[in-house]
Amino acid sequence: MKWIGSNASAGLPTLPRERAKRCAGVPAFKSVARLTCALWLATGGIALSAPVIKSLEPGTVAPGAVTEVVARGSDLKGIVNVWCSFPVEVAVDSSKSAEDGKSASLRFTVPAETEVGVAAIRVVGSNGVSRPFLLMIDDLPGATAVKGNDAFDKAASLDWPIAIDGVCDDSYSDFYRFKLRRGRRVTFECVAQRMGSTLDPLLRLYDEERRQVAQSEDAAGLVEDARFSFIPQASGSYTLEVGDAIYRKSAANRYRLRAGDIPLATLPFPLGGEPGGEVEVRFLGEEMEGVKGRTISLAPDRSRQRVGVSREGEKGAAFVTLASDALPDLVESEPNDDPGQATRISVPSAINGRFERPNDRDCYAFEVKKGDTLAFVGQTRSLGSPSALFLQLYDPKGALLEEADVTKSNEAGLTNRFATDGVHTLRIEELTRAGGPAHGYRMEIEPWRPGFGLSTSVDTINAKAGGSLELRIEARRDKGFNAPITLAVEGLWDGATVEGNEIGKDNKEATLKIELPKEITPGDWRQIKVVGQSGTGDTAFKAAASPEPALRKLFPGMPFPPTDLDGWIAVGIKAE
């Protein structure tokens, strides 16, 4: 057994604090704008024999425990490093790893304070670094994966609380049988698309007469994952079906089935706070009895972090996402349904609000000067809320100025240049008029000016020491922005050189030429970031190239790829 990696929070990748805003009239985003870019490789090339992770058995590690995990895939022999997006120590047991490189034995030692949720892993070998693979951190006791339970009469019997890894590869559904007691609540949750799986999970629960008594598909706030709570009216044997809602069989249809007294939490409230500070949160959702609020310490270098939510004295935590931003945080004050009751706010600020009932609306009043331009950036589904926002701006006389184009993005936003002085009103509604305990939003409001965004279609590169890389970067400019953009590559080895690092005035692309030092040892690797900057002082605008296009292809069911991976490209060194 050889210990090869220790991940500390200081070493985690962080999203750039600078924002890229889209042109006026188009929704703005907290992270860099979603643009198109291609990353091309020259003589270094992408290694054909870089390590590849196809599965982890189990696909979960436990807080405060040592977990033996078998990584399966290709070219996994000779792993020299393991990176994870959370603090953990990882060791490789070469005596249990396959000689043909199709499997590697990993031992994870996870600190007890680690929050439940989904995290990322990469492995590094002598021929480079793997693409990221997602695993879960789970506090429920795990069970060995079951085979042959692809029919109702072949259901695997399980005691709960429990969690088990499965895959719908040879059949459309798997079946599990549980003994349930009258009046004793149990929650069934399927974590699939949140772990990068292709499975679109559907859960159905049947009684002893094979009558369906509960089901879930696309649970609120869980992307397209499924979850429900059930209180039996009679004790007995119940059978749970875990299936694909669109009837596909695939080795990529992996899932984590969780059974316990898990709260149906969707959001913390407020939804965010200041980086490096503390925030007192309570939790929103259904079936929240016995769940207490918490004081959360926000990391100084992360824009999002996961938070576990459990009932006092119970195993089985839900996990929600908490945002952080340097803007002053405000919490809505009811009643504010009408402009005459609008909550008065200052600009800039981040508003945390809720739609507590169907047809709820929130109004906010703020003062501007003629010529001011503000960006209104909504955050809902990226934080776990099922809400879709509809925004309207009104002038001091109550006339409609502008409303958000809801067809432009997953999360509503708009920008507006104000033609008059005075107190204006922002009205926020849920697009479908939905409301309830699960619905909340975060609205960031701040001055806007033209800028740009960058992105890349590659998240991982493997090259030879002394080789060269060509990175073609494309930029999308906001309306009114045509200045040159200087590109810098952060995180490279000492001695690496970069040429062609400017996107000229009015241009949309540039090709970076990177020469790597000959002295780099195969198996070494770096996480690099391409950062564009234009202007100086108060006019400076910065944005990092996002690999979101690559991550969307890797995790097709995730509308918002993991923020732990955004802004970073892994570069591994392969052998000659």
Side-chain angles (χ1 to χ4, degrees):
M1 182 75 67
K2 181 181 180 183
W3 290 96
I4 60 173
S6 178
N7 290 274
S9 58
L12 296 178
T14 59
L15 292 177
R17 291 294 169 199
E18 305 83 3
R19 291 191 188 84
K21 300 297 186 182
R22 291 193 178 183
C23 58
V26 180
F29 290 85
K30 181 180 189 303
S31 60
V32 293
R34 297 188 177 113
L35 312 175
T36 58
C37 169
L39 177 55
W40 302 95
L41 306 179
T43 57
I46 296 180
L48 297 178
S49 55
V52 175
I53 304 174
K54 294 183 178 179
S55 67
L56 297 175
E57 300 174 9
T60 308
V61 295
V66 176
T67 306
E68 300 281 351
V69 175
V70 176
R72 299 193 185 278
S74 60
D75 297 292
L76 296 172
K77 185 177 180 180
I79 292 174
V80 296
N81 200 354
V82 178
W83 172 85
C84 298
S85 63
F86 62 101
V88 61
E89 289 186 336
V90 186
V92 174
D93 189 344
S94 57
S95 67
K96 296 181 181 179
S97 300
E99 285 296 320
D100 61 4
K102 293 184 179 180
S103 70
S105 179
L106 309 178
R107 173 174 290 179
F108 290 78
T109 303
V110 183
E113 65 274 13
T114 305
E115 299 278 9
V116 167
V118 175
I121 176 178
R122 294 180 186 264
V123 297
V124 186
S126 59
N127 267 322
V129 58
S130 72
R131 298 194 73 187
F133 193 88
L134 301 183
L135 76 163
M136 186 171 175
I137 305 163
D138 199 346
D139 64 338
L140 282 169
T144 303
V146 175
K147 294 293 184 182
N149 60 328
D150 56 356
F152 191 96
D153 292 331
K154 299 178 182 179
S157 295
L158 299 175
D159 294 325
W160 67 279
I162 199 169
I164 189 166
D165 294 311
V167 57
C168 291
D169 50 359
D170 297 325
S171 64
Y172 299 123
S173 299
D174 291 338
F175 294 83
Y176 300 92
R177 190 158 292 132
F178 295 88
K179 291 287 188 181
L180 304 183
R181 190 169 71 244
R182 180 178 182 272
R184 176 74 166 97
R185 176 180 53 207
V186 60
T187 297
F188 296 104
E189 177 179 28
C190 186
V191 183
Q193 298 211 1
R194 286 172 291 169
M195 290 174 58
S197 171
T198 59
L199 183 73
D200 183 0
L202 170 64
L203 298 180
R204 295 189 180 105
L205 186 66
Y206 305 90
D207 65 12
E208 293 180 346
E209 304 299 320
R210 298 197 180 190
R211 295 173 297 198
Q212 182 176 306
V213 294
Q215 77 163 31
S216 173
E217 181 190 2
D218 300 349
L222 303 188
V223 192
E224 293 185 358
D225 283 349
R227 179 177 66 178
F228 68 89
S229 286
F230 178 70
I231 301 177
Q233 299 303 303
S235 298
S237 178
Y238 291 79
T239 300
L240 182 73
E241 177 186 5
V242 183
D244 190 286
I246 55 179
Y247 298 99
R248 296 168 299 179
K249 302 176 186 178
S250 171
N253 278 354
R254 65 189 183 106
Y255 61 85
R256 177 78 168 176
L257 174 63
R258 312 177 75 218
D261 194 0
I262 306 167
L264 303 185
T266 59
L267 292 171
F269 195 81
L271 284 76
E274 184 177 350
E278 290 187 342
V279 57
E280 297 276 350
V281 301
R282 54 195 175 98
F283 299 102
L284 307 183
E286 305 282 355
E287 305 287 344
M288 299 298 289
E289 299 87 351
V291 176
K292 295 184 176 181
R294 291 177 56 188
T295 300
I296 306 297
S297 296
L298 292 167
D301 56 356
R302 305 286 294 279
S303 65
R304 304 282 173 90
Q305 65 187 65
R306 64 181 181 276
V307 178
V309 186
S310 58
R311 301 187 202 282
E312 191 171 17
E314 293 283 350
K315 287 282 188 180
F319 49 99
V320 299
T321 301
L322 188 64
S324 63
D325 196 288
L327 298 174
D329 267 77
L330 303 174
V331 176
E332 72 155 317
S333 177
E334 292 281 3
N336 63 345
D337 287 25
D338 300 312
Q341 301 173 309
T343 302
R344 192 67 180 259
I345 63 172
S346 58
V347 176
S349 61
I351 303 168
N352 297 276
R354 299 177 58 190
F355 301 117
E356 299 185 50
R357 62 189 183 282
N359 298 310
D360 192 7
R361 64 168 61 122
D362 296 329
C363 295
Y364 301 93
F366 55 94
E367 189 164 359
V368 297
K369 297 293 185 182
K370 180 180 179 179
D372 287 350
T373 302
L374 298 182
F376 301 82
V377 184
Q379 297 177 66
T380 51
R381 296 182 180 182
S382 64
L383 296 176
S385 172
S387 296
L389 300 183
F390 179 58
L391 311 180
Q392 292 180 313
L393 279 176
Y394 293 87
D395 70 11
K397 295 181 180 180
L400 177 65
L401 286 177
E402 188 176 357
E403 60 186 32
D405 184 348
V406 296
T407 68
K408 292 290 186 180
S409 71
N410 289 310
E411 299 188 296
L414 57 82
T415 61
N416 186 74
R417 182 178 176 85
F418 293 89
T420 60
D421 296 342
V423 177
H424 291 65
T425 302
L426 171 68
R427 187 166 78 177
I428 305 177
E429 297 180 88
E430 210 288 324
L431 183 64
T432 64
R433 304 293 191 268
H439 288 267
Y441 62 87
R442 184 172 170 87
M443 176 62 58
E444 297 182 350
I445 308 173
E446 60 183 324
W448 179 92
R449 57 188 175 81
F452 59 88
L454 308 171
S455 70
T456 171
S457 59
V458 172
D459 61 84
T460 307
I461 309 167
N462 288 293
K464 293 180 181 179
S468 64
L469 308 176
E470 289 190 357
L471 286 70
R472 192 183 72 193
I473 304 297
E474 293 185 2
R476 177 171 174 177
R477 299 169 180 272
D478 291 338
K479 185 178 180 180
F481 181 87
N482 60 359
I485 303 169
T486 301
L487 302 173
V489 183
E490 300 177 358
L492 284 171
W493 291 265
D494 292 340
T497 61
V498 181
E499 297 179 0
N501 61 335
E502 182 175 278
I503 301 177
K505 182 180 179 180
D506 295 322
N507 291 342
K508 295 182 179 179
E509 65 180 53
T511 299
L512 290 173
K513 297 181 179 180
I514 301 175
E515 296 287 340
L516 299 176
K518 296 180 180 180
E519 297 78 14
I520 311 175
T521 304
D524 199 353
W525 79 295
R526 293 287 188 274
Q527 291 203 98
I528 68 169
K529 181 191 299 183
V530 179
V531 179
Q533 179 169 329
S534 184
T536 58
D538 293 339
T539 66
F541 190 96
K542 297 175 68 175
S546 171
E548 184 174 329
L551 297 175
R552 281 180 176 274
K553 289 181 180 179
L554 185 62
F555 309 124
M558 301 178 71
F560 302 96
T563 56
D564 286 342
L565 302 172
D566 198 16
W568 296 90
I569 303 165
V571 180
I573 302 300
K574 64 179 183 177
E576 292 292 338

